Amino acid sequence: MAQKTSGGNAAFHNFHNDYAHIVDPNERRRLALAEIDKAPFGWYHVRAVVVAGVGFFTDAYDIFAINLASSMLGIAFWQRSNKGKIPSHSDTAIKVATSGGTVLGQLGFGALADVVGRKRMYGIELMVIIFATLAQSLSASSPAVSITGLLIFWRVIMGIGIGGDYPLSSIITSEFATTKWRGAMMGAVFAMQGIGQFAAAVVALIVTSGFKKSLQSAKGPADCSGVCQLAVDKMWRVVIGFGAVPGLIALYYRLTIPETPRYTFDVARDVEKANSDVKAYMQGRSEGQPDGIQRLQTMADHSENLETPKAGWGDFFRHYGQWKHGKVLLGTAGSWFFLDVAFYGLGLNNSIILSTIGYTGGSNMYQVFHNNAVGNLILICAGAIPGYWVTVATVDTLGRKPIQFFGFVMLTILFCVIGFAYHKLNGHQLLGLYIVAQFFFNFGPNATTFIVPGECFPTRYRSTSHGISAASGKIGAIVAQVVFGPLANRGVKPNATGRDSTPWLNHIMQIFALFMFCGLLTTFLIPETKRKTLEELAGEVPATPNYETGQHEYKSSPDHSPSGSHDGSNNIGMRT
């Protein structure tokens, strides 16, 4: 029997003592996790969402800010060589660098969180983002290094941190969430992307207003020299550098979160610590403090008796080698890939859309930057932000799979209309279709592809699997930026403007319709996760459809794990 601990009252119940008399580690695990699953929604859930959500706010801000800052970079560094306009190859390389780094971060941090634990990795990725963001804002070219090379380097590093935030924030929120509102909590974390994009446009608008007089002195990029160029050089540094501020605020809370009890139970196999951490989470403390001697004794006596298999390469390939598990990973990764190709590709219409609503160009540089910032604010508020929060409101009632399926259906139809009727649509019609598409991206697969991978995999591979799924999506984003971006300009004539500057864009929209249809098909491979516990989805609950008897009879020997240690910290996952 475990030793009882002191403390506990009407406000902060002592969950540990409730199960201290239970010897069977599997029963203690089941009861402790049930406390998390059935807990009424409270401030500790709000705190978890805010701490994770600030990271996604920062991620979206940093990714979107470069779109607003790229025209400023042209004036600051290509004033003489290219008349104040950033070369297209430099613009593409700087933006793609973030996606490339994100792929590395999603795979690397995803795997490491399953190896060394969620707590040890959470916060590190935010420190990487903060450092790389500040380094970008202080960058300048020299005879030996171009500004393009410097920004690519730092945006790859920043992308690695952003990539790490995807699996970590998703699974930490998922593993601490109550079953009833798990989808809404994860959706709220993801919805902070829209707020981050909004904040980037607001900061750009503020710095533009702050340097209004200096910017009014130049009619266009080629004329922006002297005080105007100095003002623009300060502006892009503020816009980029401000992205580090919310990360600094959230860093302390990330570094002091408790380890998720599911990880401590299933991977570290530390029953006493996991029970103690459940209590700590409910009370808002950073981690539990179990009796050290009792903890070691319990690990020695019962860690091998836990029914959940030990993580290792052999178990990993055995698990996903079964079609019923492998198809889920294929479904989450495939859906995210097909989504992101079109999601990032839709941005190719932005200049046309902004021109339609009258927020492009201007008689001086102040009006140019002001219109660009305000125009982007309108587009974000019109479609993206409402879509995110409609998902939050409905995902736990409608379900993940119906929202994703219906979203892909609508997007397939919308891209068909845009692609095949492109030259017959006037600007206002194209604007309406663009806004509706943005809405169904976010009230649809853009949200659900983030939520489902954080729920449907077993704890021992949940972070790795989410990282693989997210990395597939970013590879899709790279395809959109590197392949379809330049393809839109195929056959363009010199000095072309408006739709004539992207003569192949209608064909690209038609191709995106095919990608959306493929995403619809991969949706059939994923399970519905609404109102199901993570253990039920992982096939660990008897008498449920996903339960597999053989899984609980499997005991991995030291050969199945890359490390033979049994100290609860080294032999806890798949080595990379």
Side-chain angles (χ1 to χ4, degrees), residues 111-146:
L112 285 170
D114 280 337
V115 175
V116 301
R118 286 69 158 127
K119 177 180 173 60
R120 291 187 183 182
M121 300 308 299
Y122 209 41
I124 294 177
E125 89 292 349
L126 198 56
M127 287 190 282
V128 172
I129 294 171
I130 292 168
F131 182 78
T133 299
L134 293 175
Q136 285 177 72
S137 66
L138 298 174
S139 295
S141 59
S142 73
V145 183
S146 69

PDB file of all heavy atoms in Angstrom, residues 111-146:
ATOM      1  N   ALA A 111       9.610  13.662 -31.473  1.00  0.00           N
ATOM      2  CA  ALA A 111      10.227  12.421 -31.012  1.00  0.00           C
ATOM      3  C   ALA A 111      10.837  12.578 -29.620  1.00  0.00           C
ATOM      4  O   ALA A 111      10.693  11.704 -28.760  1.00  0.00           O
ATOM      5  CB  ALA A 111      11.297  11.971 -32.004  1.00  0.00           C
ATOM      6  N   LEU A 112      11.491  13.708 -29.374  1.00  0.00           N
ATOM      7  CA  LEU A 112      12.148  13.917 -28.078  1.00  0.00           C
ATOM      8  C   LEU A 112      11.147  13.985 -26.931  1.00  0.00           C
ATOM      9  O   LEU A 112      11.435  13.545 -25.817  1.00  0.00           O
ATOM     10  CB  LEU A 112      12.989  15.192 -28.117  1.00  0.00           C
ATOM     11  CG  LEU A 112      14.309  15.096 -28.888  1.00  0.00           C
ATOM     12  CD1 LEU A 112      14.935  16.470 -29.056  1.00  0.00           C
ATOM     13  CD2 LEU A 112      15.277  14.146 -28.175  1.00  0.00           C
ATOM     14  N   ALA A 113       9.966  14.530 -27.184  1.00  0.00           N
ATOM     15  CA  ALA A 113       8.949  14.606 -26.128  1.00  0.00           C
ATOM     16  C   ALA A 113       8.467  13.221 -25.714  1.00  0.00           C
ATOM     17  O   ALA A 113       8.010  13.035 -24.587  1.00  0.00           O
ATOM     18  CB  ALA A 113       7.766  15.455 -26.582  1.00  0.00           C
ATOM     19  N   ASP A 114       8.570  12.239 -26.615  1.00  0.00           N
ATOM     20  CA  ASP A 114       8.237  10.864 -26.260  1.00  0.00           C
ATOM     21  C   ASP A 114       9.411  10.143 -25.606  1.00  0.00           C
ATOM     22  O   ASP A 114       9.233   9.103 -24.984  1.00  0.00           O
ATOM     23  CB  ASP A 114       7.803  10.076 -27.511  1.00  0.00           C
ATOM     24  CG  ASP A 114       6.359  10.364 -27.902  1.00  0.00           C
ATOM     25  OD1 ASP A 114       5.583  10.779 -27.030  1.00  0.00           O
ATOM     26  OD2 ASP A 114       6.013  10.176 -29.083  1.00  0.00           O
ATOM     27  N   VAL A 115      10.604  10.686 -25.765  1.00  0.00           N
ATOM     28  CA  VAL A 115      11.803  10.055 -25.203  1.00  0.00           C
ATOM     29  C   VAL A 115      12.102  10.586 -23.803  1.00  0.00           C
ATOM     30  O   VAL A 115      12.219   9.821 -22.845  1.00  0.00           O
ATOM     31  CB  VAL A 115      13.026  10.276 -26.123  1.00  0.00           C
ATOM     32  CG1 VAL A 115      14.300   9.734 -25.477  1.00  0.00           C
ATOM     33  CG2 VAL A 115      12.811   9.611 -27.471  1.00  0.00           C
ATOM     34  N   VAL A 116      12.228  11.890 -23.666  1.00  0.00           N
ATOM     35  CA  VAL A 116      12.646  12.476 -22.386  1.00  0.00           C
ATOM     36  C   VAL A 116      11.499  13.105 -21.617  1.00  0.00           C
ATOM     37  O   VAL A 116      11.681  13.525 -20.474  1.00  0.00           O
ATOM     38  CB  VAL A 116      13.772  13.530 -22.599  1.00  0.00           C
ATOM     39  CG1 VAL A 116      14.970  12.907 -23.267  1.00  0.00           C
ATOM     40  CG2 VAL A 116      13.262  14.713 -23.421  1.00  0.00           C
ATOM     41  N   GLY A 117      10.331  13.222 -22.224  1.00  0.00           N
ATOM     42  CA  GLY A 117       9.179  13.757 -21.514  1.00  0.00           C
ATOM     43  C   GLY A 117       8.717  15.095 -22.055  1.00  0.00           C
ATOM     44  O   GLY A 117       9.488  15.861 -22.629  1.00  0.00           O
ATOM     45  N   ARG A 118       7.426  15.362 -21.855  1.00  0.00           N
ATOM     46  CA  ARG A 118       6.848  16.620 -22.330  1.00  0.00           C
ATOM     47  C   ARG A 118       7.409  17.809 -21.547  1.00  0.00           C
ATOM     48  O   ARG A 118       7.755  18.846 -22.103  1.00  0.00           O
ATOM     49  CB  ARG A 118       5.326  16.614 -22.157  1.00  0.00           C
ATOM     50  CG  ARG A 118       4.549  15.735 -23.138  1.00  0.00           C
ATOM     51  CD  ARG A 118       4.744  14.265 -22.945  1.00  0.00           C
ATOM     52  NE  ARG A 118       3.659  13.466 -23.496  1.00  0.00           N
ATOM     53  CZ  ARG A 118       3.831  12.464 -24.354  1.00  0.00           C
ATOM     54  NH1 ARG A 118       5.041  12.158 -24.792  1.00  0.00           N
ATOM     55  NH2 ARG A 118       2.805  11.774 -24.767  1.00  0.00           N
ATOM     56  N   LYS A 119       7.491  17.657 -20.231  1.00  0.00           N
ATOM     57  CA  LYS A 119       7.928  18.757 -19.377  1.00  0.00           C
ATOM     58  C   LYS A 119       9.340  19.218 -19.714  1.00  0.00           C
ATOM     59  O   LYS A 119       9.617  20.422 -19.755  1.00  0.00           O
ATOM     60  CB  LYS A 119       7.863  18.325 -17.909  1.00  0.00           C
ATOM     61  CG  LYS A 119       8.375  19.373 -16.925  1.00  0.00           C
ATOM     62  CD  LYS A 119       8.279  18.880 -15.487  1.00  0.00           C
ATOM     63  CE  LYS A 119       8.944  19.847 -14.515  1.00  0.00           C
ATOM     64  NZ  LYS A 119       8.340  21.180 -14.526  1.00  0.00           N
ATOM     65  N   ARG A 120      10.248  18.272 -19.962  1.00  0.00           N
ATOM     66  CA  ARG A 120      11.650  18.639 -20.225  1.00  0.00           C
ATOM     67  C   ARG A 120      11.809  19.416 -21.527  1.00  0.00           C
ATOM     68  O   ARG A 120      12.724  20.222 -21.663  1.00  0.00           O
ATOM     69  CB  ARG A 120      12.516  17.383 -20.256  1.00  0.00           C
ATOM     70  CG  ARG A 120      12.670  16.704 -18.905  1.00  0.00           C
ATOM     71  CD  ARG A 120      13.676  15.578 -18.979  1.00  0.00           C
ATOM     72  NE  ARG A 120      13.785  14.860 -17.710  1.00  0.00           N
ATOM     73  CZ  ARG A 120      14.635  13.857 -17.497  1.00  0.00           C
ATOM     74  NH1 ARG A 120      15.422  13.443 -18.473  1.00  0.00           N
ATOM     75  NH2 ARG A 120      14.662  13.250 -16.329  1.00  0.00           N
ATOM     76  N   MET A 121      10.928  19.153 -22.497  1.00  0.00           N
ATOM     77  CA  MET A 121      11.053  19.823 -23.791  1.00  0.00           C
ATOM     78  C   MET A 121      10.231  21.113 -23.869  1.00  0.00           C
ATOM     79  O   MET A 121      10.569  22.010 -24.643  1.00  0.00           O
ATOM     80  CB  MET A 121      10.603  18.877 -24.907  1.00  0.00           C
ATOM     81  CG  MET A 121      11.403  17.589 -25.007  1.00  0.00           C
ATOM     82  SD  MET A 121      13.190  17.868 -25.080  1.00  0.00           S
ATOM     83  CE  MET A 121      13.322  18.837 -26.573  1.00  0.00           C
ATOM     84  N   TYR A 122       9.157  21.182 -23.065  1.00  0.00           N
ATOM     85  CA  TYR A 122       8.252  22.332 -23.166  1.00  0.00           C
ATOM     86  C   TYR A 122       8.931  23.569 -22.591  1.00  0.00           C
ATOM     87  O   TYR A 122       9.354  23.590 -21.438  1.00  0.00           O
ATOM     88  CB  TYR A 122       6.961  22.034 -22.420  1.00  0.00           C
ATOM     89  CG  TYR A 122       5.746  22.746 -22.960  1.00  0.00           C
ATOM     90  CD1 TYR A 122       5.542  22.879 -24.318  1.00  0.00           C
ATOM     91  CD2 TYR A 122       4.774  23.264 -22.103  1.00  0.00           C
ATOM     92  CE1 TYR A 122       4.412  23.500 -24.818  1.00  0.00           C
ATOM     93  CE2 TYR A 122       3.633  23.887 -22.594  1.00  0.00           C
ATOM     94  CZ  TYR A 122       3.463  24.002 -23.956  1.00  0.00           C
ATOM     95  OH  TYR A 122       2.343  24.630 -24.454  1.00  0.00           O
ATOM     96  N   GLY A 123       9.002  24.595 -23.363  1.00  0.00           N
ATOM     97  CA  GLY A 123       9.702  25.816 -22.981  1.00  0.00           C
ATOM     98  C   GLY A 123      10.993  25.982 -23.748  1.00  0.00           C
ATOM     99  O   GLY A 123      11.389  27.104 -24.090  1.00  0.00           O
ATOM    100  N   ILE A 124      11.658  24.858 -24.063  1.00  0.00           N
ATOM    101  CA  ILE A 124      12.891  24.943 -24.843  1.00  0.00           C
ATOM    102  C   ILE A 124      12.588  25.491 -26.231  1.00  0.00           C
ATOM    103  O   ILE A 124      13.308  26.342 -26.765  1.00  0.00           O
ATOM    104  CB  ILE A 124      13.578  23.563 -24.936  1.00  0.00           C
ATOM    105  CG1 ILE A 124      14.067  23.124 -23.557  1.00  0.00           C
ATOM    106  CG2 ILE A 124      14.739  23.590 -25.924  1.00  0.00           C
ATOM    107  CD1 ILE A 124      14.687  21.741 -23.530  1.00  0.00           C
ATOM    108  N   GLU A 125      11.502  24.973 -26.831  1.00  0.00           N
ATOM    109  CA  GLU A 125      11.146  25.435 -28.176  1.00  0.00           C
ATOM    110  C   GLU A 125      10.788  26.915 -28.161  1.00  0.00           C
ATOM    111  O   GLU A 125      11.077  27.659 -29.114  1.00  0.00           O
ATOM    112  CB  GLU A 125      10.007  24.572 -28.740  1.00  0.00           C
ATOM    113  CG  GLU A 125       8.600  25.016 -28.446  1.00  0.00           C
ATOM    114  CD  GLU A 125       8.195  24.909 -26.978  1.00  0.00           C
ATOM    115  OE1 GLU A 125       8.922  24.290 -26.175  1.00  0.00           O
ATOM    116  OE2 GLU A 125       7.147  25.443 -26.610  1.00  0.00           O
ATOM    117  N   LEU A 126      10.193  27.403 -27.052  1.00  0.00           N
ATOM    118  CA  LEU A 126       9.856  28.820 -26.958  1.00  0.00           C
ATOM    119  C   LEU A 126      11.117  29.669 -26.815  1.00  0.00           C
ATOM    120  O   LEU A 126      11.199  30.770 -27.368  1.00  0.00           O
ATOM    121  CB  LEU A 126       8.905  29.044 -25.778  1.00  0.00           C
ATOM    122  CG  LEU A 126       8.120  30.355 -25.768  1.00  0.00           C
ATOM    123  CD1 LEU A 126       7.325  30.523 -27.055  1.00  0.00           C
ATOM    124  CD2 LEU A 126       7.182  30.398 -24.566  1.00  0.00           C
ATOM    125  N   MET A 127      12.105  29.171 -26.082  1.00  0.00           N
ATOM    126  CA  MET A 127      13.377  29.889 -25.969  1.00  0.00           C
ATOM    127  C   MET A 127      14.069  29.998 -27.320  1.00  0.00           C
ATOM    128  O   MET A 127      14.679  31.031 -27.648  1.00  0.00           O
ATOM    129  CB  MET A 127      14.279  29.191 -24.952  1.00  0.00           C
ATOM    130  CG  MET A 127      13.839  29.375 -23.505  1.00  0.00           C
ATOM    131  SD  MET A 127      15.057  28.790 -22.307  1.00  0.00           S
ATOM    132  CE  MET A 127      14.771  27.025 -22.390  1.00  0.00           C
ATOM    133  N   VAL A 128      13.985  28.945 -28.120  1.00  0.00           N
ATOM    134  CA  VAL A 128      14.564  28.973 -29.468  1.00  0.00           C
ATOM    135  C   VAL A 128      13.875  30.041 -30.313  1.00  0.00           C
ATOM    136  O   VAL A 128      14.528  30.824 -31.017  1.00  0.00           O
ATOM    137  CB  VAL A 128      14.432  27.586 -30.146  1.00  0.00           C
ATOM    138  CG1 VAL A 128      14.837  27.657 -31.614  1.00  0.00           C
ATOM    139  CG2 VAL A 128      15.290  26.557 -29.428  1.00  0.00           C
ATOM    140  N   ILE A 129      12.542  30.097 -30.229  1.00  0.00           N
ATOM    141  CA  ILE A 129      11.786  31.093 -30.992  1.00  0.00           C
ATOM    142  C   ILE A 129      12.163  32.511 -30.566  1.00  0.00           C
ATOM    143  O   ILE A 129      12.406  33.386 -31.405  1.00  0.00           O
ATOM    144  CB  ILE A 129      10.266  30.876 -30.804  1.00  0.00           C
ATOM    145  CG1 ILE A 129       9.831  29.542 -31.414  1.00  0.00           C
ATOM    146  CG2 ILE A 129       9.471  32.021 -31.443  1.00  0.00           C
ATOM    147  CD1 ILE A 129       8.399  29.160 -31.076  1.00  0.00           C
ATOM    148  N   ILE A 130      12.220  32.745 -29.266  1.00  0.00           N
ATOM    149  CA  ILE A 130      12.534  34.081 -28.743  1.00  0.00           C
ATOM    150  C   ILE A 130      13.917  34.528 -29.199  1.00  0.00           C
ATOM    151  O   ILE A 130      14.105  35.647 -29.699  1.00  0.00           O
ATOM    152  CB  ILE A 130      12.442  34.084 -27.204  1.00  0.00           C
ATOM    153  CG1 ILE A 130      10.987  33.895 -26.765  1.00  0.00           C
ATOM    154  CG2 ILE A 130      13.011  35.374 -26.630  1.00  0.00           C
ATOM    155  CD1 ILE A 130      10.829  33.598 -25.289  1.00  0.00           C
ATOM    156  N   PHE A 131      14.897  33.645 -29.041  1.00  0.00           N
ATOM    157  CA  PHE A 131      16.279  33.992 -29.408  1.00  0.00           C
ATOM    158  C   PHE A 131      16.387  34.287 -30.903  1.00  0.00           C
ATOM    159  O   PHE A 131      16.988  35.295 -31.313  1.00  0.00           O
ATOM    160  CB  PHE A 131      17.215  32.856 -29.017  1.00  0.00           C
ATOM    161  CG  PHE A 131      18.667  33.135 -29.318  1.00  0.00           C
ATOM    162  CD1 PHE A 131      19.415  33.954 -28.488  1.00  0.00           C
ATOM    163  CD2 PHE A 131      19.278  32.586 -30.438  1.00  0.00           C
ATOM    164  CE1 PHE A 131      20.751  34.224 -28.764  1.00  0.00           C
ATOM    165  CE2 PHE A 131      20.600  32.846 -30.724  1.00  0.00           C
ATOM    166  CZ  PHE A 131      21.346  33.668 -29.891  1.00  0.00           C
ATOM    167  N   ALA A 132      15.816  33.410 -31.741  1.00  0.00           N
ATOM    168  CA  ALA A 132      15.925  33.581 -33.191  1.00  0.00           C
ATOM    169  C   ALA A 132      15.155  34.813 -33.664  1.00  0.00           C
ATOM    170  O   ALA A 132      15.583  35.496 -34.607  1.00  0.00           O
ATOM    171  CB  ALA A 132      15.397  32.333 -33.903  1.00  0.00           C
ATOM    172  N   THR A 133      14.039  35.123 -33.013  1.00  0.00           N
ATOM    173  CA  THR A 133      13.257  36.304 -33.382  1.00  0.00           C
ATOM    174  C   THR A 133      14.036  37.581 -33.104  1.00  0.00           C
ATOM    175  O   THR A 133      14.102  38.497 -33.946  1.00  0.00           O
ATOM    176  CB  THR A 133      11.930  36.330 -32.608  1.00  0.00           C
ATOM    177  OG1 THR A 133      11.174  35.161 -32.937  1.00  0.00           O
ATOM    178  CG2 THR A 133      11.113  37.562 -32.963  1.00  0.00           C
ATOM    179  N   LEU A 134      14.642  37.658 -31.931  1.00  0.00           N
ATOM    180  CA  LEU A 134      15.444  38.837 -31.591  1.00  0.00           C
ATOM    181  C   LEU A 134      16.668  38.946 -32.500  1.00  0.00           C
ATOM    182  O   LEU A 134      17.061  40.048 -32.908  1.00  0.00           O
ATOM    183  CB  LEU A 134      15.872  38.767 -30.124  1.00  0.00           C
ATOM    184  CG  LEU A 134      14.735  38.896 -29.100  1.00  0.00           C
ATOM    185  CD1 LEU A 134      15.267  38.693 -27.684  1.00  0.00           C
ATOM    186  CD2 LEU A 134      14.054  40.255 -29.215  1.00  0.00           C
ATOM    187  N   ALA A 135      17.282  37.809 -32.830  1.00  0.00           N
ATOM    188  CA  ALA A 135      18.454  37.805 -33.720  1.00  0.00           C
ATOM    189  C   ALA A 135      18.087  38.336 -35.105  1.00  0.00           C
ATOM    190  O   ALA A 135      18.861  39.083 -35.720  1.00  0.00           O
ATOM    191  CB  ALA A 135      19.027  36.396 -33.821  1.00  0.00           C
ATOM    192  N   GLN A 136      16.907  37.970 -35.598  1.00  0.00           N
ATOM    193  CA  GLN A 136      16.457  38.490 -36.899  1.00  0.00           C
ATOM    194  C   GLN A 136      16.328  40.005 -36.869  1.00  0.00           C
ATOM    195  O   GLN A 136      16.768  40.695 -37.799  1.00  0.00           O
ATOM    196  CB  GLN A 136      15.086  37.910 -37.246  1.00  0.00           C
ATOM    197  CG  GLN A 136      15.060  36.478 -37.689  1.00  0.00           C
ATOM    198  CD  GLN A 136      13.634  36.030 -37.918  1.00  0.00           C
ATOM    199  OE1 GLN A 136      13.000  36.428 -38.888  1.00  0.00           O
ATOM    200  NE2 GLN A 136      13.115  35.226 -37.004  1.00  0.00           N
ATOM    201  N   SER A 137      15.716  40.499 -35.804  1.00  0.00           N
ATOM    202  CA  SER A 137      15.447  41.937 -35.739  1.00  0.00           C
ATOM    203  C   SER A 137      16.728  42.763 -35.617  1.00  0.00           C
ATOM    204  O   SER A 137      16.703  43.970 -35.860  1.00  0.00           O
ATOM    205  CB  SER A 137      14.515  42.246 -34.559  1.00  0.00           C
ATOM    206  OG  SER A 137      15.154  41.973 -33.331  1.00  0.00           O
ATOM    207  N   LEU A 138      17.822  42.121 -35.256  1.00  0.00           N
ATOM    208  CA  LEU A 138      19.099  42.824 -35.122  1.00  0.00           C
ATOM    209  C   LEU A 138      20.056  42.528 -36.274  1.00  0.00           C
ATOM    210  O   LEU A 138      21.221  42.908 -36.235  1.00  0.00           O
ATOM    211  CB  LEU A 138      19.769  42.430 -33.793  1.00  0.00           C
ATOM    212  CG  LEU A 138      18.990  42.789 -32.522  1.00  0.00           C
ATOM    213  CD1 LEU A 138      19.678  42.216 -31.285  1.00  0.00           C
ATOM    214  CD2 LEU A 138      18.821  44.295 -32.387  1.00  0.00           C
ATOM    215  N   SER A 139      19.561  41.836 -37.294  1.00  0.00           N
ATOM    216  CA  SER A 139      20.421  41.431 -38.411  1.00  0.00           C
ATOM    217  C   SER A 139      20.685  42.589 -39.364  1.00  0.00           C
ATOM    218  O   SER A 139      19.852  43.489 -39.531  1.00  0.00           O
ATOM    219  CB  SER A 139      19.773  40.281 -39.193  1.00  0.00           C
ATOM    220  OG  SER A 139      19.670  39.130 -38.399  1.00  0.00           O
ATOM    221  N   ALA A 140      21.847  42.544 -39.994  1.00  0.00           N
ATOM    222  CA  ALA A 140      22.212  43.530 -41.019  1.00  0.00           C
ATOM    223  C   ALA A 140      23.218  42.876 -41.954  1.00  0.00           C
ATOM    224  O   ALA A 140      23.953  41.964 -41.562  1.00  0.00           O
ATOM    225  CB  ALA A 140      22.800  44.795 -40.390  1.00  0.00           C
ATOM    226  N   SER A 141      23.244  43.325 -43.188  1.00  0.00           N
ATOM    227  CA  SER A 141      24.155  42.738 -44.169  1.00  0.00           C
ATOM    228  C   SER A 141      25.567  43.285 -43.980  1.00  0.00           C
ATOM    229  O   SER A 141      25.786  44.302 -43.329  1.00  0.00           O
ATOM    230  CB  SER A 141      23.664  43.041 -45.579  1.00  0.00           C
ATOM    231  OG  SER A 141      23.594  44.446 -45.786  1.00  0.00           O
ATOM    232  N   SER A 142      26.523  42.577 -44.572  1.00  0.00           N
ATOM    233  CA  SER A 142      27.926  42.989 -44.534  1.00  0.00           C
ATOM    234  C   SER A 142      28.569  42.545 -45.843  1.00  0.00           C
ATOM    235  O   SER A 142      27.952  41.797 -46.617  1.00  0.00           O
ATOM    236  CB  SER A 142      28.631  42.346 -43.333  1.00  0.00           C
ATOM    237  OG  SER A 142      28.837  40.958 -43.550  1.00  0.00           O
ATOM    238  N   PRO A 143      29.799  42.970 -46.116  1.00  0.00           N
ATOM    239  CA  PRO A 143      30.448  42.502 -47.352  1.00  0.00           C
ATOM    240  C   PRO A 143      30.563  40.979 -47.436  1.00  0.00           C
ATOM    241  O   PRO A 143      30.615  40.423 -48.533  1.00  0.00           O
ATOM    242  CB  PRO A 143      31.833  43.158 -47.273  1.00  0.00           C
ATOM    243  CG  PRO A 143      31.623  44.390 -46.452  1.00  0.00           C
ATOM    244  CD  PRO A 143      30.596  44.005 -45.426  1.00  0.00           C
ATOM    245  N   ALA A 144      30.596  40.301 -46.290  1.00  0.00           N
ATOM    246  CA  ALA A 144      30.789  38.852 -46.297  1.00  0.00           C
ATOM    247  C   ALA A 144      29.475  38.083 -46.301  1.00  0.00           C
ATOM    248  O   ALA A 144      29.397  36.969 -46.825  1.00  0.00           O
ATOM    249  CB  ALA A 144      31.627  38.428 -45.085  1.00  0.00           C
ATOM    250  N   VAL A 145      28.412  38.654 -45.708  1.00  0.00           N
ATOM    251  CA  VAL A 145      27.144  37.941 -45.556  1.00  0.00           C
ATOM    252  C   VAL A 145      25.997  38.850 -45.994  1.00  0.00           C
ATOM    253  O   VAL A 145      25.903  39.996 -45.564  1.00  0.00           O
ATOM    254  CB  VAL A 145      26.923  37.505 -44.092  1.00  0.00           C
ATOM    255  CG1 VAL A 145      25.635  36.695 -43.973  1.00  0.00           C
ATOM    256  CG2 VAL A 145      28.100  36.706 -43.572  1.00  0.00           C
ATOM    257  N   SER A 146      25.125  38.311 -46.845  1.00  0.00           N
ATOM    258  CA  SER A 146      23.971  39.085 -47.300  1.00  0.00           C
ATOM    259  C   SER A 146      22.857  39.013 -46.266  1.00  0.00           C
ATOM    260  O   SER A 146      22.782  38.081 -45.467  1.00  0.00           O
ATOM    261  CB  SER A 146      23.467  38.548 -48.640  1.00  0.00           C
ATOM    262  OG  SER A 146      22.890  37.257 -48.469  1.00  0.00           O
TER     263      SER A 146
END
